[in-house]
Amino acid sequence: MDIRYEVNPIDFKSYSTSEVREAFLIESLFQTDTLQWTYSHYDRLVIGGAVPVEKTLRLDWSDVLKTAYFLERREIAVINIGGEGTVRVDGEVYTLVKRDCLYIGKGKEVVQFESEDAAYPARFYLVSATAHQSYPTKKLPISEAVPTKLGTDAESNRRTIYKYIHQEGIQSCQLMVGMTLLEPNNMWNTMPAHLHDRRMEAYLYFDMEPSSRVMHLMGQPNETRHIIVKNEQAIISPPWSIHSGVGTSHYTFIWAMAGENYTFTDMDPVPMEALT
């Protein structure tokens, strides 16, 4: 498990390109027959990837968390971005096709991941936050998720947002998770930018061609930096940072939040003239 510590925004001003990448970019989430984990000290969010091909993978790392099992004091969201796969939760079987979401609440002891077809394996994206009570395990297929259409071609940000885990959707302690799909020829997300100092956020960019890149913008509004992101790489976004991006082509990203409150609309808008 890769450990990432919090960064002071004053120190961030002096970071080099490599230091910014080392602190906030997760480069290798999806590796065959392994679980890859990054532990962020921002709201203790754990970000992972599982690609079961020849093996069944089991949710673990309790030795790092110092608990009897992974979900003893945690909850987790699982979103499949690959081929069909199954998640077994204490013996219950959930089948996920691409873009389906599964929420697993605190207290579930045995969680296993498998692929239906080794030639086109599932690629499970995992986001876990600490939890104080248990909510039911629940699956939300992409076919049943309610889409919200936003943006315009003129602003290059026509997109569809699916909210999976939130106040009006799957219930959780503090996780909020959803997915944004940009339409072809639309490349901007979350601009004009915003802040939510009560919550951190993680972005997973995917559905990109190997040669495509996203320029992810971050930092305080008056001290912005960028990270160049490849397909299936993730960004840790601190509460004091904007989180926006523009791609060389359209892309999809999963956003996940955890922190002080549970209000999706708690956002502080940043005027364009405030960005430097």
Side-chain angles (χ1 to χ4, degrees):
M1 185 178 286
D2 185 19
I3 307 296
R4 303 291 180 94
Y5 294 98
E6 294 182 357
V7 174
N8 187 308
I10 297 174
D11 296 337
F12 176 74
K13 297 178 182 180
S14 64
Y15 272 29
S16 65
T17 298
S18 61
E19 288 173 321
V20 172
R21 293 175 66 86
E22 288 170 7
F24 302 105
L25 177 65
I26 304 173
E27 297 188 74
S28 301
L29 268 176
F30 300 98
Q31 303 293 322
T32 298
D33 285 330
T34 63
L35 279 164
Q36 299 289 319
W37 291 111
T38 296
Y39 184 108
S40 171
H41 277 263
Y42 288 111
D43 291 300
R44 301 199 176 274
L45 197 76
V46 178
I47 302 159
V51 186
V53 179
E54 301 297 333
K55 300 178 181 179
T56 296
L57 299 178
R58 177 169 173 168
L59 187 65
D60 207 347
W61 286 103
S62 55
D63 58 331
V64 175
L65 302 177
K66 304 303 181 184
T67 53
Y69 52 94
F70 192 97
L71 295 178
E72 181 182 9
R73 298 179 59 83
R74 285 186 162 271
E75 59 189 359
I76 193 167
V78 180
I79 300 179
N80 186 8
I81 65 168
E84 183 176 326
T86 58
V87 184
R88 298 179 184 271
V89 183
D90 284 352
E92 294 287 329
V93 179
Y94 300 87
T95 299
L96 303 183
V97 300
K98 187 173 183 179
R99 297 176 179 162
D100 286 355
C101 175
L102 179 69
Y103 169 82
I104 308 170
K106 171 182 175 289
K108 299 299 184 182
E109 293 193 37
V110 180
V111 180
Q112 297 172 305
F113 305 96
E114 298 175 349
S115 291
E116 182 68 24
D117 182 356
Y120 184 39
R123 303 174 78 80
F124 295 110
Y125 178 58
L126 315 172
V127 186
S128 173
T130 55
H132 60 275
Q133 72 177 74
S134 180
Y135 284 93
T137 300
K138 188 171 182 180
K139 171 185 168 182
L140 181 58
I142 186 64
S143 59
E144 297 178 14
V146 178
T148 300
K149 303 284 186 179
L150 295 174
T152 66
D153 285 333
E155 295 174 303
S156 299
N157 67 354
R158 191 159 56 90
R159 62 205 187 276
T160 303
I161 298 176
Y162 294 94
K163 287 187 279 187
Y164 294 119
I165 304 172
H166 62 110
Q167 281 181 321
E168 288 78 42
I170 299 175
Q171 298 297 291
S172 72
C173 285
Q174 63 166 328
L175 274 176
M176 280 190 280
V177 180
M179 182 171 59
T180 300
L181 291 79
L182 276 83
E183 300 292 335
N185 303 316
N186 289 263
M187 283 78 87
W188 274 102
N189 79 72
T190 324
M191 184 62 71
H194 63 256
L195 299 169
H196 33 74
D197 196 47
R198 280 67 59 190
R199 297 189 305 273
M200 64 84 65
E201 191 161 1
Y203 271 28
L204 171 72
Y205 291 101
F206 69 105
D207 279 354
M208 297 164 55
E209 295 297 327
S211 61
S212 295
R213 298 291 185 271
V214 168
M215 271 52 78
H216 181 89
L217 306 178
M218 67 171 299
Q220 293 178 300
N222 63 341
E223 281 286 346
T224 56
R225 304 288 188 271
H226 73 275
I227 302 177
I228 296 177
V229 185
K230 298 179 184 179
N231 186 46
E232 296 186 353
Q233 293 183 338
I235 294 284
I236 298 168
S237 182
W240 46 262
S241 175
I242 66 167
H243 32 282
S244 179
V246 60
T248 57
S249 183
H250 67 286
Y251 51 88
T252 302
F253 66 96
I254 296 168
W255 43 268
M257 293 182 279
E260 182 68 29
N261 67 17
Y262 197 61
T263 307
F264 177 81
T265 55
D266 178 18
M267 301 175 188
D268 301 321
V270 178
M272 292 297 289
E273 57 269 23
L275 295 174
T276 58

